[in-house]
Amino acid sequence: MEYRKLGNTDLNLSVITHGAFAIGGNMWGGNEKQDSIDAIHASLDHGVTSIDTAPFYGFGLSEELIGEAIKGRDRSKIQLLNKFGLVWDGSNNGKGEFFFDAGADGKSIPVYKYASKANVIKEVEESLKRLRTDYIDLLQLHWPDATTPVDETMEALNLLIEQGKIRAAGVSNYSLDQLKEAQKTISLASNQVSYSMLNREIEKEIVPYTLANNIGIIVYSPLERGLLTGKYFKDAKLKSNDHRNGYFGQFDPEKVKALLQTIEPIATSKNATVAQLVLRWTTLQPGISIVLAGSRNAAQAIDNAKTMDITLHTDELTIIQQAIDQAR
């Protein structure tokens, strides 16, 4: 495993970080508790020291599973990356910005973006209990909240740093203008953003700005939620309550298939899977600090960790780049 310093912080994170969205179950067709815990244990046992989660993932379940999984482990050797700012339990009393309805099977669960100072502090206390820890290594605003002044949210993060409840503060899904506004109040550690072979929008403005200002980039959805593994073009099926039934519709399946078929021989030559090759390519892109990789069982977690064993040469990167360009 390789470890990288995150932005202007003293956090050294594993380049492949355990992404814990899917183990929350909601929007992913459910989960298996023991498989989820086994996946975390396997990650930690294979050099993945960093875990990324959020209260919204499983409405607290993802955090609880992580808290249970790391119990008895050396906390100083684990970095917990968490978020705040999505409220689903009505505690915002109608305040904030309506995001979407996370309900299913006729049940309504309205989710709001809400990043007031009081809510930030409240959420952190709840997360600390679920995670069974007394500090969070990196706390990130999950999504921008248009109803709360940016400086109010950032002042709350500064306060939490002063109190020792968080080691560093970052944001997620922030635009260039939002980053600049936040930087007036706080020195941001990172911006967590969506990025993949099929989605390279951040290369235009976000990457140049973060490189110039020593802000880390944390990548989520590098495999486009499993699409770039190739298994959904074969025998894998999605459950009816899996959000990816709709998510995958934004991509041209024939172009994606062609991309994967072109790069598969490179993966094979490395004794690697296509998914591992895609992840490794992502870790090598300019400005990228760490890459989140989800796993729902130990075998997937081990495969993700072994991604960093792959070496890609210039000619191979050229072939991959050409295939990506043709997939647009």
Side-chain angles (χ1 to χ4, degrees):
M1 183 54 62
E2 179 184 336
Y3 305 89
R4 292 178 186 165
K5 183 173 176 289
L6 184 67
N8 56 15
T9 75
D10 61 357
L11 296 176
N12 282 298
L13 308 181
S14 53
V15 174
I16 295 297
T17 288
H18 186 102
F21 186 3
I23 68 171
N26 67 305
M27 299 174 63
W28 291 86
N31 82 312
E32 295 293 335
K33 177 180 177 179
Q34 193 57 52
D35 284 349
S36 300
I37 291 175
D38 289 346
I40 296 169
H41 287 166
S43 289
L44 295 173
D45 292 341
H46 287 80
V48 174
T49 61
S50 310
I51 305 171
D52 180 89
T53 187
F56 173 70
Y57 300 162
F59 307 123
L61 178 59
S62 176
E63 290 176 311
E64 291 172 357
L65 290 172
I66 291 167
E68 183 172 343
I70 67 173
K71 184 179 179 181
R73 299 264 179 164
D74 186 344
R75 175 68 178 84
S76 68
K77 295 181 179 179
I78 299 170
Q79 303 86 46
L80 296 179
L81 286 51
N82 206 4
K83 307 182 191 73
F84 69 91
L86 292 187
V87 179
W88 67 88
D89 60 0
S91 61
N92 57 317
N93 296 315
K95 297 179 181 178
E97 178 184 358
F98 177 74
F99 192 14
F100 70 106
D101 193 325
D105 301 323
K107 183 179 180 181
S108 177
I109 305 177
V111 178
Y112 287 81
K113 301 175 186 175
Y114 188 46
S116 72
K117 181 177 180 180
N119 186 63
V120 177
I121 294 170
K122 170 183 174 293
E123 284 200 51
V124 167
E125 294 300 329
E126 293 170 345
S127 289
L128 290 173
K129 290 179 182 178
R130 288 190 288 256
L131 290 165
R132 306 185 192 187
T133 187
D134 56 3
Y135 71 95
I136 293 166
D137 295 274
L138 176 70
L139 184 67
Q140 308 155 91
L141 171 60
H142 206 151
W143 283 89
D145 166 25
T147 69
T148 302
V150 171
D151 60 350
E152 177 182 339
T153 304
M154 299 305 138
E155 285 169 5
L157 292 173
N158 273 326
L159 175 62
L160 290 165
I161 291 173
E162 292 171 4
Q163 293 175 339
K165 292 182 178 178
I166 67 174
R167 293 177 63 191
V171 292
S172 185
N173 302 297
Y174 251 37
S175 68
L176 177 61
D177 288 343
Q178 288 165 335
L179 286 173
K180 290 179 178 178
E181 183 64 26
Q183 285 283 92
K184 295 176 183 179
T185 307
I186 195 170
S187 179
L188 290 174
S190 57
N191 187 16
Q192 183 174 142
V193 288
S194 175
Y195 179 69
S196 75
M197 288 181 171
L198 304 177
N199 173 20
R200 301 175 65 186
E201 187 66 25
I202 65 168
E203 294 177 357
K204 297 177 183 177
E205 295 183 337
I206 300 297
V207 169
Y209 180 79
T210 55
L211 284 172
N213 291 274
N214 198 17
I215 298 172
I217 289 182
I218 300 173
V219 169
Y220 72 84
S221 293
L223 293 171
E224 289 299 353
R225 312 190 189 191
L227 183 66
L228 288 175
T229 66
K231 64 184 181 181
Y232 294 105
F233 293 114
K234 298 176 182 178
D235 299 325
K237 303 295 181 184
L238 296 172
K239 294 183 179 180
S240 61
N241 59 344
D242 192 312
H243 77 288
R244 291 174 294 177
N245 284 299
Y247 183 84
F248 289 166
Q250 67 185 292
F251 304 107
D252 184 324
E254 293 307 314
K255 287 186 176 181
V256 175
K257 265 199 262 188
L259 165 62
L260 298 179
Q261 287 170 354
T262 301
I263 67 175
E264 186 171 16
I266 298 176
T268 301
S269 72
K270 310 287 181 181
N271 292 316
T273 65
V274 169
Q276 288 172 318
L277 180 67
V278 172
L279 288 174
R280 188 64 174 122
W281 173 89
T282 310
T283 69
L284 294 172
Q285 300 314 295
I288 305 305
S289 302
I290 64 173
V291 176
L292 306 187
S295 55
R296 305 184 74 161
N297 56 55
Q300 291 176 355
I302 293 169
D303 281 348
N304 289 342
K306 288 183 176 179
T307 289
M308 297 306 293
D309 295 340
I310 299 172
T311 299
L312 289 174
H313 302 292
T314 302
D315 58 333
E316 294 166 331
L317 288 169
T318 298
I319 293 171
I320 294 171
Q321 185 60 57
Q322 290 172 343
I324 293 170
D325 290 342
Q326 291 175 1
R328 290 182 176 180

